[in-house]
Amino acid sequence: AQSVTQPDIHITVSEGASLELRCNYSYGATPYLFWYVQSPGQGLQLLLKYFSGDTLVQGIKGFEAEFKRSQSSFNLRKPSVHWSDAAEYFCAVGAPTDSWGKFQFGAGTQVVVTP
Amino acid sequence: ETGVTQSPTHLIKTRGQQVTLRCSSQSGHNTVSWYQQALGQGPQFIFQYYREEENGRGNFPPRFSGLQFPNYSSELNVNALELDDSALYLCASSSQGYEQYFGPGTRLTVT
């Protein structure tokens, strides 16, 4: 069975500093991988996704993520954080053999941005 | 282009009651997935509807049921509500194999 782990429940970062959010997954083959962001009172917005090919994926809002098969990881990064990046971030995996949209989400990482 | 909408925004029910949540999918999308997001947790997949048929289900009991209509909008029904059903219920629409777009969710409180 697939699983997703986000080791950091909460991260505080200064505005302008870099940010890295960790995501580890467990799955027999290479799954589909996603990062979503959720602002308070809102639904989830897709930041980026990985299906295959280039392991460094660029997303919206200046985010990127790198797929590392050897480490079963898909970490999200942003070089310089803006106050508007304060939100909860979720990593998700989907099995290519499963019905599309049957994603498993991690528990999330809450990002706080300080001035 | 109208995004995914959900109704109601909030509701409060009593244990044992039944509830129906509604989702209007984005134009052109034929697939709707429902997720339950308990406080402090990530969303959990409940089930998916594709062209009016259930197309995959997560680990939820049969008292969670759904429908998809010819216009691809969808309903989530929960019978015999329990306190643990209190959560944010998210619906997401997509075309098979493409990005899912999430609605803002319905916050259900069971007392």
Side-chain angles (χ1 to χ4, degrees):
Chain A
Q2 62 203 46
S3 66
V4 184
T5 302
Q6 294 181 245
D8 303 305
I9 297 171
H10 186 274
I11 284 181
T12 299
V13 60
S14 300
E15 192 169 12
S18 64
L19 174 69
E20 180 167 14
L21 305 182
R22 296 183 290 163
C23 173
N24 295 98
Y25 68 89
S26 173
Y27 183 63
T30 299
Y32 298 140
L33 296 161
F34 307 84
W35 274 100
Y36 285 87
V37 61
Q38 185 176 37
S39 298
Q42 301 200 12
L44 302 171
Q45 182 183 22
L46 179 68
L47 288 174
L48 46 78
K49 59 185 182 285
Y50 174 79
F51 291 170
S52 64
D54 192 345
T55 57
L56 186 61
V57 180
Q58 301 299 319
I60 62 171
K61 304 186 178 187
F63 284 93
E64 66 177 25
E66 185 171 12
F67 168 60
K68 292 186 177 180
R69 185 191 307 274
S70 61
Q71 298 177 20
S72 296
S73 69
F74 189 57
N75 294 348
L76 181 72
R77 298 192 293 254
K78 185 168 184 178
S80 178
V81 168
H82 187 261
W83 64 267
S84 60
D85 294 322
E88 187 141 27
Y89 292 79
F90 293 95
C91 179
V93 301
T97 55
D98 236 332
S99 53
W100 179 255
K102 186 178 178 181
F103 297 160
Q104 178 135 6
F105 285 80
T109 298
Q110 184 71 46
V111 172
V112 173
V113 180
T114 59
Chain B
E1 184 178 85
T2 305
V4 179
T5 60
Q6 293 186 243
S7 62
T9 305
H10 298 87
L11 76 166
I12 300 173
K13 290 286 189 178
T14 303
R15 191 171 53 182
Q17 286 187 316
Q18 179 265 342
V19 69
T20 297
L21 310 182
R22 295 177 176 82
C23 172
S24 291
S25 59
Q26 188 157 316
S27 176
H29 288 177
N30 55 19
T31 302
V32 173
S33 300
W34 286 93
Y35 290 82
Q36 180 195 66
Q37 186 179 15
L39 200 61
Q41 297 183 23
Q44 289 198 3
F45 177 79
I46 303 174
F47 46 55
Q48 179 186 91
Y49 279 83
Y50 171 60
R51 294 184 176 179
E52 302 180 58
E53 298 283 333
E54 187 177 291
N55 182 44
R57 188 178 183 94
N59 294 325
F60 282 81
R63 59 189 186 84
F64 285 78
S65 63
L67 280 175
Q68 187 178 33
F69 301 98
N71 67 354
Y72 302 131
S73 65
S74 177
E75 285 183 355
L76 164 65
N77 300 291
V78 187
N79 294 322
L81 283 167
E82 300 177 0
L83 296 179
D84 284 349
D85 296 333
S86 295
L88 180 68
Y89 288 85
L90 297 165
C91 117
S93 78
S94 67
S95 292
Q96 286 286 309
Y98 293 90
E99 178 180 342
Q100 289 197 104
Y101 289 86
F102 281 82
T106 294
R107 172 73 63 188
L108 171 64
T109 301
V110 182
T111 62

